[in-house]
Amino acid sequence: MASPRYVRNAVPHLTLPASPFGPAPARLHYREQGRGPAVAILHGGWGYRVYSFDPQMRVLAAAHRVVAPDRSGYGGSGDLADLPAGFHQLAAQETMGALDALGIGEAVLWGHSDGAVIAAWAAILHPRRVRGLVLEAFHYLKAKEASAAFFETGASAPEQLGEQPARAMAEDHGDPRWRAVVGMNSRAWLRIIEQGRRGERDLYQGRLAEVRAPVLLLHGRRDPRTEPGEIEAARRDLPRARLALLDAGHSPHSGRAGAEATRLAAAFAAEAWDGRG
């Protein structure tokens, strides 16, 4: 059987012969800086721009090739009407396909929020390709009761989530497309919360302990999306993970703790590539 053809275009898009999210071929926008051992940035459920990684990419690019693809449904990539069940696993598969298209065999993955879940799934499904994981604002439990009202607002009235996020998402996804992006992510999370109410415990089908790559958990002490005991539960599955609790909310890298979050992640990436992670 012939190998799939991956196309890297002159503009910052790549084309996958297939994506688990829908019609082939799939065209994904990406950002890239630097040279060296690879680090891939995996954005959260609202996309890349609202919690921008631009400063982190510049820092990491001094020693690494840094890439940040927009997943299907986000930013400059193709539209999705909705996120299907199991979208984190599907996004992990698409992410590895994007790395293939960019000629990247192994990488350290830095995922934020939904991107952290996707990064963890990538390490479960493709353990030999993940050198290390920076899991920022990590989600573990399905029963996110404290976040149910937040996602209900996102599903029905996303403009109420704030003027600054709305501006950033309009820049990233376009207006009014950003409302559809927030809506599809919120509906997906409401379905996950309902699964948690029915007794499904975690987002990894009990497989998180299969992760063998070194892990850095970057987490804000004031993260409103974190349930009581959630980080402790995740650490029971990841007993060797390092935990950095920063004075931050849901996005340590883009707030006042950004410099420290970046320093920790950059040092971890260097160690993971040196085999010291």
Side-chain angles (χ1 to χ4, degrees):
M1 180 182 295
S3 298
R5 282 188 60 207
Y6 297 103
V7 180
R8 188 171 170 191
N9 301 286
V11 293
H13 286 82
L14 56 88
T15 302
L16 305 182
S19 166
F21 285 111
R27 192 165 184 260
L28 303 183
H29 172 260
Y30 69 97
R31 301 160 182 84
E32 180 174 358
Q33 293 187 39
R35 297 177 66 182
V39 176
I41 304 293
L42 280 58
H43 64 73
W46 286 359
Y48 177 91
R49 184 58 57 194
V50 70
Y51 297 119
S52 172
F53 274 92
D54 286 355
Q56 287 70 37
M57 289 190 70
R58 288 193 292 269
V59 170
L60 288 164
H64 298 279
R65 181 186 180 190
V66 192
V67 298
D70 287 336
R71 295 190 295 276
S72 286
Y74 290 89
S77 298
D79 288 340
L80 287 180
D82 219 345
L83 287 172
F87 74 91
H88 292 112
Q89 300 96 306
L90 299 178
Q93 295 170 26
E94 183 182 81
T95 296
M96 302 316 287
L99 296 185
D100 286 338
L102 293 167
I104 295 171
E106 296 179 87
V108 169
L109 307 182
W110 182 350
H112 171 250
S113 192
D114 276 301
V117 180
I118 293 163
W121 265 111
I124 293 167
L125 297 172
H126 301 278
R128 295 184 179 180
R129 299 189 62 184
V130 178
R131 294 293 297 243
L133 293 171
V134 180
L135 303 179
E136 181 186 0
F138 189 56
H139 299 296
Y140 180 78
L141 299 174
K142 285 191 169 186
K144 295 269 193 176
E145 290 299 336
S147 295
F150 172 82
F151 288 119
E152 287 167 358
T153 298
S156 61
E159 64 279 355
Q160 294 183 15
L161 295 174
E163 184 177 346
Q164 188 278 329
R167 284 198 304 268
M169 285 187 284
E171 178 185 344
D172 202 3
H173 313 298
D175 193 357
R177 180 180 178 233
W178 72 268
R179 293 174 174 83
V181 170
V182 175
M184 74 175 183
N185 180 259
S186 298
R187 290 190 300 274
W189 268 101
L190 289 171
R191 292 192 292 269
I192 289 170
I193 291 169
E194 184 57 36
Q195 291 168 356
R197 289 168 176 162
R198 295 198 301 265
E200 297 183 26
R201 178 167 170 73
D202 69 77
L203 290 156
Y204 307 95
Q205 301 173 7
R207 297 183 62 184
L208 187 61
E210 296 178 24
V211 170
R212 292 294 175 261
V215 176
L216 171 64
L217 292 167
L218 274 182
H219 214 81
R221 292 189 181 91
R222 296 177 281 102
D223 190 336
R225 305 281 76 81
T226 303
E227 293 289 315
E230 184 167 13
I231 293 302
E232 293 78 6
R235 293 188 76 193
R236 285 193 285 273
D237 280 352
L238 299 171
R240 295 183 299 279
R242 305 181 201 176
L243 174 64
L245 277 176
L246 304 180
D247 183 18
H250 188 55
S251 181
H253 78 267
S254 62
R256 286 181 296 179
E260 178 66 2
T262 305
R263 183 190 69 79
L264 291 167
F268 175 84
E271 291 178 11
W273 269 110
D274 287 345
R276 295 181 288 117

